[in-house]
Amino acid sequence: ISYCLKIHSLDSDRVLVLDAGQVVEYDTPFNLLQEQGIFYHLVQQTGMAKKLTATASAARDMKGSYT
């Protein structure tokens, strides 16, 4: 489990996004980026979206499809 206020890497198997204490998103980084929800918009705000998306994609390819 990791807790982060700033997204600098996407080396987690799953990401849990909370809003006002409620779970609003939970999936792999790659899938959440494809859904373009809250997590996607947070990544876009980092200025590193292309790099982080490539990292998530590479992790997905290395691990195969997450189950």
Side-chain angles (χ1 to χ4, degrees):
I1 295 177
S2 350
Y3 167 78
C4 67
L5 295 174
K6 295 182 180 180
I7 302 168
H8 295 291
S9 68
L10 294 177
D11 59 354
S12 299
D13 290 336
R14 302 276 179 183
V15 174
L16 175 71
V17 180
L18 300 173
D19 185 20
Q22 300 295 313
V23 175
V24 291
E25 295 179 357
Y26 177 72
D27 208 337
T28 65
F30 180 83
N31 289 343
L32 290 177
L33 290 170
Q34 299 305 305
E35 293 173 10
Q36 298 189 6
I38 293 172
F39 181 73
Y40 170 84
H41 292 289
L42 291 172
V43 169
Q44 294 300 311
Q45 293 174 14
T46 67
M48 299 171 45
K50 285 185 181 182
K51 178 183 177 190
L52 293 173
T53 300
T55 300
S57 180
R60 178 179 165 260
D61 292 345
M62 277 185 20
K63 296 177 183 179
S65 61
Y66 295 103
T67 56

